[in-house]
Amino acid sequence: MSRRRVALLRERMRHLELDAFIVSSLPCIRYLTGFSGTSGLCVVRKRDAFFLTDSRYALQSKTEVKGYKRIIVSNGLYEELARHKLLRGCGAVGFDSNTVTYTQYRTLRKLVHEGSFVPTNDIVESIALIKENEEVDLIRAAVRISDLVFDDVIRSLKPGVTELDIAAEICYLHKKYGAEKDAFEPIVASGERGSLPHARATGKRIRNGELVTLDFGCTVRGYNSDITRTVAVGKATAQARKIYNVVLNAQSDAINAAKAGMWAKDLDAVARGRITREGYGKYFNHSLGHGLGIQVHERPRVSSLSKEKLTARSVITIEPGVYIPGMGGVRIEDDVLLTAGGCEVLNTAPKEFMIV
Amino acid sequence: MSRRRVALLRERMRHLELDAFIVSSLPCIRYLTGFSGTSGLCVVRKRDAFFLTDSRYALQSKTEVKGYKRIIVSNGLYEELARHKLLRGCGAVGFDSNTVTYTQYRTLRKLVHEGSFVPTNDIVESIALIKENEEVDLIRAAVRISDLVFDDVIRSLKPGVTELDIAAEICYLHKKYGAEKDAFEPIVASGERGSLPHARATGKRIRNGELVTLDFGCTVRGYNSDITRTVAVGKATAQARKIYNVVLNAQSDAINAAKAGMWAKDLDAVARGRITREGYGKYFNHSLGHGLGIQVHERPRVSSLSKEKLTARSVITIEPGVYIPGMGGVRIEDDVLLTAGGCEVLNTAPKEFMIV
C-alpha cells in the first residue's frame, strides 16, 4: 500500500463528500495497492480499505498487497463486494464511470441497498498525473530500455526482412533488457504503410528506399515508455528528407515550448502551426501527444481539443507526424518530464535523419 | 463485412424486437466488420450498418471495412454516434452492457432523444460461439504456431536462464512464425512460483530440478490459441511425477468426456473429480477451461459454476492444474474443437512427462 497515495485519494473523497470509493481500473489498482494481476477490485473507505481478487491470485496478492483487507472471491467481484457488505454504513460511494460497465453498475445498484452511487472521472488518475521520484525513475528505466532496443533493432532493418521480423525482435529485446512486457503491440510500418499512423506489423517485406516507422514501448514495474522513430532504408528521396525535417522541426519547437502551466492545446498548436506553415497541416491527423505513466495513454490529453493545463512532474509524449497517402509517413516521438521552467527529454535515441 | 454474421445478428435483433444494435467490443467489431484497429464502434440497423473510427484509422478502415457506411470522427465515438443521428427513427436500441461503460451509457442517454436503450448480454458473442470453417482454420493456424514455439522453446530451458529470457523467446517466435501478436503475456513460472497459476515471467533464474510451467498463445488474423505445458528441468522428484500424472489423467478424462450437448459444469466435474479422488482437490483452484476464438476468454464458461451446455463447433480449453504452495505447480492445457460425438484436440505438442 502506498500510504501517501491512499491519503491523497481520501483527501479527494473528503472534498467530494464520499464515504467510500470503488477503484475499478487495473492500472489504478496497481498504483494504489501494488497488485500486478489481471483481476481485482478495491474499496477505499474513510478508515480502512479492501482488496478483492480471485483464487488464481490468492498467493500473489498476499505478497503484493499490504495494508488492505484481502478478500479472495469465487464469484464476480461486484457481487462479492455486495455480499461482504463492504459499503455498509456508507452514504455516498464514488466509482469511476469510465471503467465501470453498465452491468457492473446495475449489479451494485441491485445488490447494495444503502448509500448512493456517485459517478466520478479521473479521481485516481488525477493523483497519478503528478509523478513521485520513484515513478519517474521507473519511467526512465522503461525509456532507457526502449532506447537500447532502438539502437539494436535498426541494425536488423534491411531490405527483405518483414515488419513482423522487426516487431519480433523488439518484443524479444524488451524482455531481454528486463522489461516485464511490451507497453503495446509494436507498430512497424514500412513504405506506403507508413501513412497508416497505427499500422500493426505485417508480413510485408521492407524494400530498399522505403521509410520505416517504429513505434514501441515497454513496461517496467507498471510504468511505461513510448518511442517513435522513422528511418530510411538504403536511400531516401528528397521528399522523404523534406518531410522528415518538417516533423523534426515541429517536434523541436514543441519540446522547446513545453512547460508546466501552459495549456496542452497551446503546445499542440506549436507543432501543428509549424507543420501547417510548411504546407503539411492536413497530413498531421492526430494529437500531438498524451500523458504517460501507469497507462500508455493517460492524462493529460495533449491535443487541439484538450481543456487541461500541463502540470509539473507529469510525463507526456511529444509525437508529431506527417502521413501522405500512397507515399508513407514520418513520426518522431519522445517522452518528456514537465518542469516549472520547461521539460526534460527522457529519450536519448538519435533523431537526425538516418539511412540504415 | 461478413453478410452471414450480420444476418445472424439481425435475426437476434428481430427476436429481441430491436431496431438497432450498438456493437462496442473490439473483438466483436472485428468479427462483424474485419476492422483490426484499437478504436471503433458499429451500429447495425435493420437495413443498413455504420462503422465509426478516428482519423488514425481512416485509411486502414477503408481497406478493411466493407458493407458499412464509414464515418471518421474527431470527437468521442458515442458523441459522434449521436451527432450523426444514427439512431434516428429507431425504437428499441440494444447495447452490450458488459462493455459499454457507465459514462458511455449516460452519453447516449443524454445526446440521443428518441428510442429506448436495451441492455443485452452476449448477443454477438453467442453468434461467435459457433465457429465457421474459416474460423476453425484460423484457430488451427494459431494453435500450430504455439505448438511449434513449444518445441523450440524447451530447448532453451536450462538452469541459469531467467523466466523472462524464455518469455522473450516465446514472443519472438510467435511473430517469426507469422502470428500477428501474442494472445496474452506469456506465463513462465518456475519452481515455487509454479504455485501461482497466473505468474507473470520475472527475472528469476530457472534452477536444476525445478518444474517450469509455460502458458502462452498467439493471435492469427484475430483468432487465438492458448497452450500450457509443465516440464521438469534436469531432474524431477517423485512428488513432481506424481502430481504430473494426476493432472495428465484428469486432462485425459476430460478430453475423453467432452462433447457437444453436455453441461459445461459436468465436464469441469470430470477433471475435478479425478484430482479430488487422488487427494489434490483443494489444489485445483480455478476453472477447467474457457471458450476460445476471437477472444482468449470467451463463452462458454467451463467451470463448476457454469450454467451453459457445450455446443458443437465451439472451441474450448481443457486445462486442469494442481498448485502446491511452497512446492510448485503443474498445468496441462489443450484447445479442443467440440463435435456432436466428442472433441478434436487441436494441439499436437507432447504431453508425456518431460525432463529437459
Side-chain angles (χ1 to χ4, degrees):
Chain A
M1 174 187 227
S2 162
R3 283 178 189 284
R4 177 183 167 275
R5 298 175 192 172
V6 175
L8 287 171
L9 171 57
R10 289 207 172 104
E11 203 175 291
R12 279 166 172 71
M13 285 164 55
R14 268 195 302 281
H15 184 70
L16 294 167
E17 301 184 339
L18 299 174
D19 297 318
F21 190 81
I22 299 170
V23 188
S24 48
S25 100
L26 286 169
C28 292
I29 290 171
R30 188 168 185 178
Y31 178 73
L32 291 172
T33 70
F35 177 67
S36 67
T38 60
S39 166
L41 196 64
C42 229
V43 178
V44 175
R45 304 196 303 197
K46 286 178 174 174
R47 275 174 208 85
D48 52 11
F50 298 85
F51 171 79
L52 299 88
T53 188
D54 65 60
S55 56
R56 293 172 304 166
Y57 292 113
L59 270 177
Q60 178 179 329
S61 62
K62 192 170 172 182
T63 313
E64 290 181 338
V65 180
K66 308 288 182 195
Y68 286 76
K69 290 174 190 155
R70 274 188 325 121
I71 300 175
I72 307 302
V73 309
S74 48
N75 245 302
L77 293 164
Y78 289 80
E79 285 80 356
E80 297 268 8
L81 183 164
R83 194 169 71 81
H84 286 275
K85 301 190 189 307
L86 301 186
L87 302 173
R88 183 153 51 184
C90 293
V93 178
F95 70 94
D96 177 38
S97 62
N98 289 324
T99 53
V100 168
T101 65
Y102 181 86
T103 296
Q104 290 163 344
Y105 173 74
R106 296 306 306 179
T107 300
L108 288 175
R109 286 292 302 272
K110 198 175 111 192
L111 299 180
V112 179
H113 301 295
E114 48 189 332
S116 61
F117 291 97
V118 182
T120 68
N121 284 327
D122 289 338
I123 301 293
V124 179
E125 287 82 348
S126 68
I127 301 169
L129 178 66
I130 314 295
K131 268 68 181 171
E132 301 163 5
N133 288 338
E134 189 201 355
E135 296 183 275
V136 174
D137 288 346
L138 291 172
I139 296 172
R140 281 185 204 279
V143 169
R144 178 166 160 69
I145 288 175
S146 288
D147 282 344
L148 289 170
V149 169
F150 176 75
D151 285 346
D152 288 354
V153 85
I154 51 172
R155 288 182 215 147
S156 305
L157 269 183
K158 50 186 70 135
V161 303
T162 69
E163 293 173 347
L164 269 172
D165 289 335
I166 300 299
E169 193 172 336
I170 290 170
C171 298
Y172 179 77
L173 290 170
H174 273 154
K175 289 198 173 68
K176 290 297 275 187
Y177 282 123
E180 65 183 48
K181 64 185 185 73
D182 306 317
F184 52 92
E185 279 302 312
I187 291 170
V188 180
S190 59
E192 284 189 28
R193 295 189 75 254
S195 62
L196 310 171
H198 261 231
R200 185 172 277 165
T202 66
K204 176 188 171 303
R205 290 186 192 282
I206 291 166
R207 286 191 296 258
N208 196 38
E210 286 183 336
L211 291 175
V212 182
T213 295
L214 307 171
D215 183 351
F216 56 90
C218 67
T219 311
V220 171
R221 285 179 49 204
Y223 288 82
N224 296 290
S225 63
D226 187 358
I227 180 178
T228 308
R229 293 289 185 270
T230 301
V231 301
V233 176
K235 61 185 180 184
T237 63
Q239 191 193 15
R241 287 173 193 274
K242 164 74 177 156
I243 293 170
Y244 192 92
N245 278 327
V246 169
V247 174
L248 183 59
N249 288 335
Q251 208 232 9
S252 299
D253 288 356
I255 287 170
N256 291 332
K259 63 178 176 186
M262 80 187 292
W263 292 101
K265 71 177 162 58
D266 291 342
L267 184 59
D268 182 278
V270 169
R272 202 169 299 281
R274 176 77 176 237
I275 291 174
T276 303
R277 286 194 301 280
E278 302 272 6
Y280 294 94
K282 72 169 174 167
Y283 299 114
F284 174 25
N285 55 5
H286 59 68
S287 317
L288 179 62
H290 52 81
L292 182 73
I294 58 174
Q295 300 181 77
V296 181
H297 291 95
E298 61 176 46
R299 289 185 53 192
R301 191 175 177 187
V302 186
S303 81
S304 60
L305 300 171
S306 173
K307 297 187 174 88
E308 291 182 85
K309 277 191 177 172
L310 300 177
T311 48
R313 307 198 63 75
S314 288
V315 174
I316 61 169
T317 69
I318 297 185
E319 49 176 312
V322 165
Y323 312 92
I324 303 189
M327 181 265 178
V330 171
R331 181 166 65 253
I332 303 172
E333 173 185 32
D334 285 321
D335 307 329
V336 310
L337 173 67
L338 293 165
T339 60
C343 76
E344 178 193 350
V345 179
L346 304 180
N347 295 84
T348 56
K351 289 192 281 192
E352 67 274 17
F353 186 67
M354 202 185 283
I355 298 181
V356 297
Chain B
M1 174 189 230
S2 160
R3 283 178 190 284
R4 177 183 166 275
R5 298 174 191 172
V6 175
L8 286 171
L9 171 57
R10 290 207 172 105
E11 202 175 293
R12 280 168 171 70
M13 285 164 55
R14 267 196 302 280
H15 183 71
L16 295 166
E17 301 183 340
L18 300 174
D19 297 318
F21 190 81
I22 299 170
V23 188
S24 48
S25 101
L26 286 169
C28 291
I29 290 171
R30 188 168 185 179
Y31 178 73
L32 291 172
T33 71
F35 177 67
S36 67
T38 60
S39 166
L41 195 65
C42 227
V43 177
V44 175
R45 304 195 304 197
K46 286 178 174 174
R47 276 173 207 85
D48 52 10
F50 299 85
F51 171 80
L52 298 89
T53 188
D54 66 59
S55 56
R56 293 172 303 166
Y57 292 112
L59 270 177
Q60 177 180 330
S61 63
K62 192 170 172 182
T63 313
E64 290 181 337
V65 180
K66 308 288 182 194
Y68 287 77
K69 290 175 190 155
R70 275 188 325 121
I71 300 175
I72 306 302
V73 308
S74 48
N75 245 303
L77 293 164
Y78 290 80
E79 286 80 357
E80 297 267 8
L81 183 164
R83 194 169 72 80
H84 286 275
K85 302 193 190 306
L86 301 186
L87 302 173
R88 183 152 53 183
C90 294
V93 178
F95 70 95
D96 177 38
S97 62
N98 289 324
T99 53
V100 168
T101 65
Y102 181 85
T103 297
Q104 289 164 344
Y105 173 74
R106 296 307 306 179
T107 300
L108 288 175
R109 286 291 303 271
K110 197 174 111 193
L111 299 180
V112 179
H113 302 295
E114 49 189 331
S116 60
F117 290 98
V118 181
T120 67
N121 284 326
D122 289 339
I123 300 294
V124 179
E125 287 83 348
S126 68
I127 301 169
L129 178 66
I130 314 295
K131 268 67 181 171
E132 301 162 6
N133 288 338
E134 189 202 354
E135 297 183 274
V136 174
D137 288 346
L138 291 172
I139 295 172
R140 282 185 204 279
V143 169
R144 178 166 159 69
I145 288 175
S146 289
D147 283 344
L148 289 170
V149 169
F150 176 75
D151 285 346
D152 288 354
V153 85
I154 50 173
R155 289 182 213 147
S156 306
L157 268 183
K158 49 186 69 134
V161 303
T162 69
E163 293 173 348
L164 269 172
D165 289 337
I166 300 300
E169 193 172 336
I170 290 169
C171 298
Y172 179 76
L173 290 171
H174 273 154
K175 289 198 173 67
K176 289 298 274 188
Y177 283 122
E180 66 183 48
K181 63 186 186 73
D182 305 317
F184 52 92
E185 278 302 313
I187 291 170
V188 181
S190 59
E192 283 191 28
R193 295 189 74 255
S195 61
L196 310 171
H198 261 230
R200 185 173 276 164
T202 67
K204 176 189 171 302
R205 288 185 193 283
I206 291 166
R207 286 191 297 258
N208 196 38
E210 286 184 336
L211 291 175
V212 182
T213 295
L214 307 172
D215 183 349
F216 55 91
C218 67
T219 311
V220 171
R221 285 179 49 203
Y223 288 81
N224 295 291
S225 63
D226 187 358
I227 179 178
T228 307
R229 292 290 185 270
T230 301
V231 300
V233 176
K235 60 185 181 185
T237 63
Q239 191 192 15
R241 287 173 193 275
K242 165 73 178 154
I243 293 169
Y244 192 91
N245 278 327
V246 170
V247 174
L248 183 59
N249 288 335
Q251 208 233 9
S252 299
D253 287 357
I255 287 171
N256 291 331
K259 62 177 177 188
M262 80 187 292
W263 292 101
K265 72 176 161 57
D266 291 342
L267 184 59
D268 181 279
V270 169
R272 201 169 300 280
R274 176 76 175 238
I275 290 174
T276 302
R277 285 195 302 280
E278 302 272 7
Y280 294 95
K282 71 169 175 168
Y283 299 115
F284 174 24
N285 56 6
H286 59 68
S287 318
L288 179 62
H290 52 82
L292 182 73
I294 58 174
Q295 300 182 75
V296 180
H297 291 95
E298 61 176 45
R299 290 184 54 194
R301 191 175 179 188
V302 186
S303 81
S304 60
L305 301 171
S306 174
K307 297 187 175 89
E308 290 182 85
K309 277 191 177 171
L310 300 177
T311 48
R313 308 199 62 76
S314 288
V315 174
I316 61 169
T317 69
I318 297 185
E319 48 175 314
V322 166
Y323 312 92
I324 303 190
M327 181 266 178
V330 171
R331 182 168 64 254
I332 304 171
E333 173 185 32
D334 285 321
D335 306 329
V336 310
L337 173 67
L338 293 165
T339 59
C343 76
E344 178 194 350
V345 179
L346 303 181
N347 296 84
T348 57
K351 289 192 281 191
E352 67 274 17
F353 187 66
M354 201 184 284
I355 299 181
V356 296

